[in-house]
Amino acid sequence: MRGEHAGYACGAALGFLGDLLAADPRRGHPVAAFGRAAGALERRLWRDHRGYGAAHAVLCAGGAAAAAALLQRTLRNPPARIALTAATAWAVLGGTSLGREARAVGGALTAGDLDAARERLPHLCGRDPQALDGPQMARAVVESVAENTSDAVVGALVWGALGGVPGLVAFRAVNTLDAMVGHKSPRYRRFGWASARLDDVAGWPGSRLTAALTVLAGPDRRGALRAWRADGGAHPSPNAGPVEASFAGALGIRLGGTLAYGGRVEHRPVLNGVGRPPAVEDIVRAVRLSRRVSVLALVTTVAGRLACAAVRRKGRTR
């Protein structure tokens, strides 16, 4: 068991490094393959009914986790297990791609090319970009960086520490299903309900750890903590709220407000209302904060897994 936990720590660190160096491939990504399989199953199962949506979520996420667990069990050689963990961590982590896309929008805005920025924005979020000006797009990018720091990095590391390779795979599967069917469009209001609620549950620990590490790593710690406590619960998403509020407080900016998403207009509460409006240069600041939080999350989750294993070993030897 000691070797298993140390092997996970080594594999997770290697996968994190792999994401830093290689990011996501343009083609042939395992998560994209899962998305295609989930989409094919959806076309067979879809009904305007929560039960069918729940079956879709269980079959997709449960099937992916079960396949990962079976593959892990077949590998007896410690180096092979480390390699599997590293490959899986690389596949599910998306911090480098997140930063790359955010910087691309920021670069277009800095150059004054609003059309190019609007073209790249959908790579980050589902906002309707055509009606957005430069500051509004900057706000959208910062909010996306904050939320996806939790979804694309910290949450996966938390569930990897708890469940190893199956935990990594299950979290990414749940998060992908939420992105595919978890929104409140007429087609998915009932069918996607189970995927959205499952994502809320899976994302809870990662979002709170992200907010806590943002307080620790942010340039304004007091501001991050104050905004998290005051505004984190005001957001319609139970997990995006703490993360976006803590980022807003840490960076000294104001997030939230009116947005257009999926063809509808939403009026969301303002987060850190004492802050200034976001500017283009805040995109780079948000990406840097995201990177610091991600590194701290790797250290925290790996150390937590090793510490829990040591406590259990000590308890068995008494």
Side-chain angles (χ1 to χ4, degrees):
M1 293 296 291
R2 181 182 304 179
E4 177 183 345
H5 296 298
Y8 172 82
C10 182
L14 288 173
F16 189 91
L17 179 62
D19 178 64
L20 288 179
L21 296 176
D24 295 333
R26 299 294 185 183
R27 296 181 179 178
H29 197 287
V31 175
F34 169 81
R36 289 192 294 271
L41 183 60
E42 177 201 333
R43 289 190 290 274
R44 290 179 174 271
L45 280 181
W46 187 90
R47 304 288 189 281
D48 190 18
H49 191 277
R50 286 185 175 182
Y52 283 89
H56 178 257
V58 170
L59 287 172
C60 291
L70 180 62
L71 179 58
Q72 183 174 255
R73 285 177 62 89
T74 62
L75 298 177
R76 302 293 184 180
N77 189 3
R81 286 196 161 208
I82 291 173
L84 175 64
T85 302
T88 305
W90 166 79
V92 305
L93 296 177
T96 299
S97 294
L98 172 64
R100 181 177 61 196
E101 294 297 336
R103 289 178 185 273
V105 177
L109 290 175
T110 300
D113 191 345
L114 296 184
D115 289 337
R118 292 187 181 108
E119 184 178 348
R120 293 301 294 262
L121 187 63
H123 293 219
L124 276 172
C125 59
R127 307 281 176 91
D128 296 331
Q130 297 306 316
L132 299 181
D133 59 18
Q136 289 172 328
M137 279 191 278
R139 189 193 96 193
V141 172
V142 172
E143 289 174 352
S144 182
V145 168
E147 182 176 2
N148 284 293
T149 299
S150 178
D151 288 344
V153 183
V154 182
L157 291 172
V158 168
W159 283 101
L162 292 172
V165 169
L168 289 167
V169 170
F171 178 81
R172 178 52 59 223
V174 168
N175 193 249
T176 302
L177 288 174
D178 179 61
M180 293 177 65
V181 305
H183 37 90
K184 296 181 181 179
S185 65
R187 176 178 175 85
Y188 295 124
R189 188 176 299 275
R190 293 186 179 88
F191 185 84
W193 178 87
S195 292
R197 299 291 77 77
L198 188 59
D199 184 68
D200 287 343
V201 173
W204 194 95
S207 68
R208 272 64 187 177
L209 179 58
T210 303
L213 294 178
T214 301
V215 173
L216 182 63
D220 185 350
R221 295 180 179 180
R222 291 183 179 180
L225 181 59
R226 181 185 63 249
W228 176 15
R229 295 176 63 181
D231 302 325
H235 197 284
S237 168
N239 295 327
V243 175
E244 291 185 17
S246 61
F247 260 68
L251 298 173
I253 59 177
R254 184 169 64 249
L255 298 178
T258 302
L259 59 86
Y261 182 87
R264 65 184 186 277
V265 175
E266 294 185 11
H267 301 282
R268 293 183 177 177
V270 172
L271 307 177
N272 193 43
V274 298
R276 57 175 174 77
V280 175
E281 55 267 22
D282 292 313
I283 292 175
V284 173
R285 297 176 66 223
V287 171
R288 290 173 179 167
L289 177 56
S290 173
R291 179 60 54 82
R292 292 196 297 271
V293 168
S294 299
V295 172
L296 286 174
L298 174 67
V299 174
T300 301
T301 54
V302 166
R305 180 178 173 112
L306 294 176
C308 289
V311 169
R312 287 196 295 267
R313 282 198 307 272
K314 187 175 181 180
R316 287 195 297 267
T317 57
R318 289 181 177 177

